Amino acid sequence: DAKTTQPTSMDCAEGRAANLPCNHSTISGNEYVYWYRQIHSQGPQYIIHGLKNNETNEMASLIITEDRKSSTLILPHATLRDTAVYYCIVRVGGSQGNLIFGKGTKLSVKP
Amino acid sequence: EPEVTQTPSHQVTQMGQEVILRCVPISNHLYFYWYRQILGQKVEFLVSFYNNEISEKSEIFDDQFSVERPDGSNFTLKIRSTKLEDSAMYFCASSELDTLSHEQFFGPGTRLTVL
């Protein structure tokens, strides 16, 4: 699986958009970008995934650059409950197979 | 909404003792996983299980570890002789057998403390 690089930490004001970047310059053509988050030692939670096109669901939006070497997870209106560690994972698509978690980005949403 | 459950939430044991961590995956899921997270460190994959056998395991998953699906609902992780360094949060996860599915569902974890 391709390696990812994320900032160690970020702050965001409550109600503002949180934009979390991820670099994955060695991504292969059949690898998807996945985002999970972990709220304070709870089990990781799936957020969104994408291959080439931008994606949006009820939780977030995922913007993938045209060359697919980087992506941005957007939480449009961050709340205090969005404070968590966010993991960008690149792997071949599908739910089966292990997830390889990096250190992620610690997002702190402040009032 | 269906969810993965794990018991106990916290297990304290003495070094050298056997522990069994239990998980009930989501009922129609067919892939099962164990991950662990040592305090302050990354979430690490241990093992995946499909069709009543291990499909993949990491180098952490040595002979001290075993997994079992003893009935149609439970999925267990056994550590035969615990060591201090086994102290961690252990997360169970499950996923569907569906080519369109991309999500693994995680349980709340069991905190294992080895004294």
Side-chain angles (χ1 to χ4, degrees):
Chain A
D1 294 336
K3 185 180 159 115
T4 62
T5 304
Q6 298 179 251
T8 303
S9 63
M10 292 182 66
D11 290 342
C12 178
E14 188 179 19
R16 304 299 293 268
N19 297 282
L20 293 94
C22 179
N23 285 323
H24 31 79
S25 58
T26 60
I27 191 170
S28 302
N30 64 343
E31 288 181 318
Y32 287 68
V33 180
Y34 291 84
W35 285 84
Y36 279 74
R37 74 179 181 183
Q38 187 177 25
I39 297 173
H40 187 55
S41 296
Q42 295 177 23
Q45 177 190 24
Y46 165 85
I47 301 172
I48 199 168
H49 75 278
L51 182 63
K52 294 180 190 175
N53 300 322
N54 299 336
E55 302 287 346
T56 295
N57 63 20
E58 65 278 3
M59 287 181 71
S61 294
L62 174 60
I63 309 297
I64 302 174
T65 58
E66 196 167 337
D67 64 7
R68 304 211 319 126
K69 292 185 177 182
S70 65
S71 59
T72 302
L73 178 75
I74 301 172
L75 308 179
H77 305 287
T79 70
L80 299 179
R81 287 176 296 180
D82 292 322
T83 292
V85 178
Y86 287 77
Y87 301 99
C88 171
I89 299 170
V90 171
R91 61 191 286 269
V92 173
S95 61
Q96 56 268 38
N98 59 308
L99 295 168
I100 299 176
F101 290 86
K103 294 184 179 179
T105 296
K106 167 72 175 168
L107 175 69
S108 299
V109 181
K110 300 184 185 296
Chain B
E1 187 174 321
E3 58 183 17
V4 176
T5 59
Q6 292 185 242
T7 54
S9 57
H10 190 189
Q11 173 89 48
V12 180
T13 190
Q14 295 290 325
M15 190 169 56
Q17 295 295 305
E18 174 184 286
V19 294
I20 297 176
L21 309 183
R22 302 179 194 279
C23 168
V24 179
I26 294 172
S27 62
N28 64 331
H29 286 185
L30 295 177
Y31 286 93
F32 314 114
Y33 314 84
W34 284 101
Y35 294 80
R36 80 169 186 192
Q37 186 174 33
I38 295 170
L39 186 63
Q41 298 188 24
K42 298 186 287 187
V43 177
E44 300 173 290
F45 167 75
L46 293 178
V47 65
S48 59
F49 191 86
Y50 169 69
N51 201 24
N52 283 319
E53 60 184 28
I54 290 173
S55 52
E56 195 173 0
K57 61 182 181 179
S58 72
E59 58 187 27
I60 302 169
F61 193 87
D62 61 22
D63 292 344
Q64 292 298 313
F65 292 88
S66 62
V67 288
E68 193 177 34
R69 188 154 162 83
D71 53 42
S73 60
N74 288 286
F75 179 51
T76 62
L77 174 69
K78 182 195 291 187
I79 308 175
R80 249 179 284 281
S81 176
T82 50
K83 309 186 194 80
L84 295 176
E85 54 264 37
D86 293 326
S87 294
M89 282 290 286
Y90 287 81
F91 296 107
C92 173
S94 69
S95 65
E96 296 180 89
L97 174 62
D98 179 347
T99 54
L100 297 180
S101 174
H102 289 261
E103 182 176 354
Q104 289 186 15
F105 294 79
F106 284 77
T110 292
R111 179 172 298 283
L112 176 65
T113 301
V114 182
L115 302 176

